[in-house]
Structures are given as structure tokens and as C-alpha cells.
Amino acid sequence: MKKRIGVLLSGRGSNFEALAESVAAGRIPNAEIAIVISNREGAPGIDRAKSRSISTRVIPSKGLEREAYDRQVAAVLDENKVDLVCLAGYMRLLSPYFVAKFPNRILNIHPSLLPSFPGLEAQRQALEYGVKFAGCTVHFVDENLDAGPIIVQAVVPVMDDDTEATLSERILKEEHRIYSEAVRIVLEGKCKIVGRRVLKS
Ligand code: GAR
């Protein structure tokens, strides 16, 4: 039986698209993207999913209390019998209810070398801090923001003439590569979590 992935996104959806490409190309074997859910109407990621004939759902979050909203999302993920939840530019904090419902089954991609620069505009934070290396992280999601055990990271150099846009573009290329790698590792059950460490098993 193929493992079923549910993707949550809020915007552009390039990380979703990279995952979809990897599934189609067999780089994530025995898997399918069962559903793409957005909390924002008009998220380009939803159109990208539709053009790949992947099921989509828009569940507007405006005005809803966090857990009430997450219960709606969880119900759609359950309906679609999802094994793994991938956050791909999903700009919402998850409720403890949601995190507890999918223990060690939610992944997130973040455009920094965590634990540096969590939160919004991570690439801008890195530039302003003056680090010489930046990167991205795929991690299991726990109840804290951009925390949780780290599965894969990738490093990129920061150039003297970088702008937020050029640095973001360099990082994004690596995001697209390591998200698929992390999903494959997790779905194949080739890792175990020991404390904060994710080790090969
Ligand atoms: C990506 O850079 C992702 O790492 C970031 O949002 C962008 C979404 O792009 N996520 C976060 O900052 C989460 N804290 P995409 O919609 O093209 O995948």
C-alpha cells in the first residue's frame, strides 16, 4: 500500500511541487500526495496541485480559534487517510491538539539552519545577523515554533553581494532537494528519534 502524504500550505507551493515531482519520479517510492490543504483562498500552491490532478481543499482560517480550525484540518486529513503531514510554507502555528494527533508524523521545512533564526523572514534574519553560512532544515514538528528533532539540513554560503532575494533563491534550491530526502527517510522508516537526535536505523 502506498503511503499517503497530506500537504498543508499557505502560498506559492514550490516545496509542495518539489515533493510532487519527487513522488512522480520515484525519488520518494511507494508514496502519493493524497491531499493538499490551504488555509488561504487563492494560494498559488492550490492551483499547482490542481494542475497535477491532486485533490485540494481550501479551509479558510480567518476568525477561527486555533484548535477549532485544526480540528477541521485534521478531519480532512483523516478522511484522506493520511500517513504523513508535510508543512510546506504553512504560515500557521499548530495547536497542541493537532501535534498530539499526529505524533512524529508532521514534518516542516524552514529556511534557516535551526535553531538559528526561527520564525518569519529567516533569510532576512540571517543576512542582518551577518552569518557567513545559511541553509535550511527539515524537522519533526512538536508544540514549539520551528523546533522538534532535525532530520536533514543543508548549508549554503552567504555572499557579500547577496540580497534577501538571492539568498532565498539559493536556499530554496536546497529546500526542494532535502524535503524529498527527509520524506523518503521517514516514510521508509529508516530513522529513529533518540532524545532530540534523529538517527539512522
Ligand atoms: C519556504 O522558503 C519555506 O521554507 C518557508 O516558506 C517558504 C514557502 O515557499 N517556510 C517557513 O518560513 C516556515 N517557518 P513555498 O510555498 O514556495 O514552498
Side-chain angles (χ1 to χ4, degrees), residues 11-16 88-89 91 108-111 119 123 146 172 175:
R12 184 175 58 181
S14 75
N15 275 291
F16 148 68
M91 297 317 209
N108 181 43
I109 179 119
H110 184 74
Q123 304 94 330
D146 297 327
L172 192 64
E175 292 186 39

Side-chain angles (χ1 to χ4, degrees), residues 37-42 57-65 68-70 72-73 90 92:
I37 301 173
S38 170
N39 64 313
R40 290 204 189 129
E41 310 259 12
R57 200 70 85 80
V58 176
I59 309 176
S61 49
K62 225 173 160 191
L64 277 179
E65 186 266 324
Y69 179 75
D70 281 357
Q72 291 188 16
V73 175
Y90 186 61
R92 276 184 68 79

Side-chain angles (χ1 to χ4, degrees), residues 9-17 45 48 87-91 108-112 118-123 136-137 139 145-146 168 171-172 175-176 179:
L9 55 76
S10 304
R12 184 175 58 181
S14 75
N15 275 291
F16 148 68
E17 188 113 53
R48 288 184 182 221
L87 311 185
Y90 186 61
M91 297 317 209
N108 181 43
I109 179 119
H110 184 74
S112 80
L120 293 175
E121 299 185 328
Q123 304 94 330
C136 46
T137 304
H139 63 91
L145 175 68
D146 297 327
S168 298
I171 293 172
L172 192 64
E175 292 186 39
H176 294 165
Y179 211 172

Side-chain angles (χ1 to χ4, degrees), residues 107-119:
L107 306 191
N108 181 43
I109 179 119
H110 184 74
S112 80
L113 291 171
L114 290 171
S116 293
F117 314 128

Side-chain angles (χ1 to χ4, degrees), residues 1-188:
M1 268 267 280
K2 285 188 174 173
K3 299 279 188 184
R4 296 171 65 78
I5 301 169
V7 175
L8 307 189
L9 55 76
S10 304
R12 184 175 58 181
S14 75
N15 275 291
F16 148 68
E17 188 113 53
L19 289 176
E21 277 293 321
S22 291
V23 167
R27 287 189 297 273
I28 304 175
N30 295 320
E32 63 190 313
I33 298 182
I35 181 85
V36 176
I37 301 173
S38 170
N39 64 313
R40 290 204 189 129
E41 310 259 12
I46 287 292
D47 292 330
R48 288 184 182 221
K50 282 184 178 157
S51 62
R52 288 178 173 271
S53 305
I54 293 174
S55 303
T56 62
R57 200 70 85 80
V58 176
I59 309 176
S61 49
K62 225 173 160 191
L64 277 179
E65 186 266 324
R66 192 172 305 285
E67 183 174 320
Y69 179 75
D70 281 357
R71 282 182 184 273
Q72 291 188 16
V73 175
V76 174
L77 293 169
D78 278 348
E79 254 169 54
N80 285 277
K81 300 188 170 39
V82 159
D83 299 294
L84 185 71
V85 180
C86 290
L87 311 185
Y90 186 61
M91 297 317 209
R92 276 184 68 79
L93 281 176
L94 298 175
S95 61
Y97 160 81
F98 192 92
V99 175
K101 182 160 169 48
F102 300 100
N104 296 333
R105 290 198 290 139
I106 310 170
L107 306 191
N108 181 43
I109 179 119
H110 184 74
S112 80
L113 291 171
L114 290 171
S116 293
F117 314 128
L120 293 175
E121 299 185 328
Q123 304 94 330
R124 181 204 292 254
Q125 292 185 54
L127 262 188
E128 285 178 354
Y129 194 93
V131 292
K132 298 297 185 193
F133 291 93
C136 46
T137 304
V138 183
H139 63 91
F140 287 106
V141 171
D142 65 12
E143 46 294 319
N144 300 310
L145 175 68
D146 297 327
I150 290 170
I151 306 161
V152 187
Q153 290 187 304
V155 178
V156 303
V158 180
M159 309 298 190
D160 285 355
D161 60 355
D162 264 335
T163 60
E164 194 181 341
T166 58
L167 179 60
S168 298
E169 195 185 324
R170 194 173 307 120
I171 293 172
L172 192 64
K173 228 183 230 169
E174 293 302 303
E175 292 186 39
H176 294 165
R177 185 178 63 77
I178 68 168
Y179 211 172
S180 296
E181 188 186 333
V183 169
R184 179 181 52 75
I185 291 169
V186 170
L187 285 183
E188 288 182 343

